[in-house]
Amino acid sequence: MSVIPELRLILATNTAGLPPQASTTGFIPMDHGEAIELLEKAGLWFGPRRILEECEDYRQIIPYIILRVGDRVVRYTRTPAGGEVRLHGRMSIGLGGHVDLADAETSGDCFKLLGTVEQAAQRELKEELGDVTCECRRWVGLLVDNDTAVGRVHIGLIGVWNINNLPYRETEDAVGEVELVSLDKLGEQVERLETWSAMLLPWLESELLGSNPAKILREV
C-alpha cells in the first residue's frame, strides 16, 4: 500500500494582483496596515507547499520580523540544522516563516489576514526564541526578490516589533548565536547577512536615525 505524503497548506498571494512596485527587486516601505491591505486585494490562497515552491503565479507570504530593543536589533546565525542549505552560516535580522493553515484566524465567514500573520509570526518567534512579549507591532512594508527562482515564489511581509529584552532560550537548532547588536555592528558584518536582511539594512538605519523611510527604495 502506498503512503500518501503529508499535505502542508501554506498562505500565498496572487502574483498578478500585486502592485507595480513588486516587479522590481527591493524593499517597498509602507505605512502600518497598507501592506496587509495590498496582499488582501491581490488575492489569497492556502495551497500545497510542494506546488507553491514551483509556481510563480503565487508568492508564499513570509512574515519577517525584526525585533528591536531601543537602537539595537536581534541578530542570529542560521545553523546547518535549518532546511535551507543556501542560508547555512548566514546572519539574519528577520525571524519568522511560512503561514500555515492552522494559523488562520476567522470571524464568521471572514478570513482575517492581520490576525493570521501575527499569529503565525508569534508562533515562529516562540519556536525560535521562546516566549517573547512585544510592546508594539508594526508592519512596515513588503520585500520582493525577483532575481532568484526561490525569491520569485516568496514575498516578505516585514514587521518591526519592539521588545524590552531578549528572553532567549535554546528552542530551535536552526537558530544560533542570538544577540542584540547595534546597526554599526551589523554594517560591519553586511557580507555575512542573508539577502533579505542586507536589503533591509539601509531602510532600518534610516528608521532608527529618525529620517523618513517612506522615501527609500532599496534595490539589490
Side-chain angles (χ1 to χ4, degrees), residues 5-22:
E6 181 180 354
L7 185 65
R8 183 182 179 187
L9 300 179
I10 56 177
L11 184 62
T13 189
N14 189 337
T15 301
L18 292 171
Q21 301 99 303

Side-chain angles (χ1 to χ4, degrees), residues 137-151:
R137 304 178 181 187
R138 289 190 301 133
W139 297 103
V140 298
L142 298 173
L143 190 145
V144 181
D145 178 6
N146 296 313
D147 297 337
T148 66
V150 173

Side-chain angles (χ1 to χ4, degrees), residues 16-30:
L18 292 171
Q21 301 99 303
S23 63
T24 302
T25 292
F27 174 54
I28 309 167
M30 297 177 182

Side-chain angles (χ1 to χ4, degrees), residues 1-124:
M1 182 176 67
S2 62
V3 178
I4 300 176
E6 181 180 354
L7 185 65
R8 183 182 179 187
L9 300 179
I10 56 177
L11 184 62
T13 189
N14 189 337
T15 301
L18 292 171
Q21 301 99 303
S23 63
T24 302
T25 292
F27 174 54
I28 309 167
M30 297 177 182
D31 292 335
H32 176 68
E34 185 180 353
I36 298 290
E37 293 177 5
L38 286 175
L39 292 175
E40 288 177 325
K41 291 178 180 178
L44 303 169
W45 179 45
F46 276 101
R49 181 176 179 181
R50 58 184 174 79
I51 292 176
L52 290 170
E53 289 288 353
E54 306 293 334
C55 179
E56 294 185 10
D57 291 337
Y58 288 87
R59 288 180 179 262
Q60 300 159 61
I61 298 173
I62 306 294
Y64 195 77
I65 309 301
I66 300 169
L67 293 180
R68 173 183 175 182
V69 180
D71 60 355
R72 296 181 297 167
V73 298
V74 173
R75 189 216 63 201
Y76 66 96
T77 302
R78 296 189 184 272
T79 74
E84 182 54 71
V85 175
R86 69 190 180 92
L87 296 180
H88 293 172
R90 288 288 187 177
M91 292 180 172
S92 177
I93 57 173
L95 292 143
H98 292 90
V99 180
D100 291 325
L101 181 60
D103 298 314
E105 181 175 314
T106 60
S107 178
D109 295 332
C110 297
F111 173 72
K112 302 174 71 174
L113 179 58
L114 177 60
T116 296
V117 294
E118 290 195 346
Q119 185 161 284
Q122 193 67 55
R123 170 181 55 77
E124 290 281 355

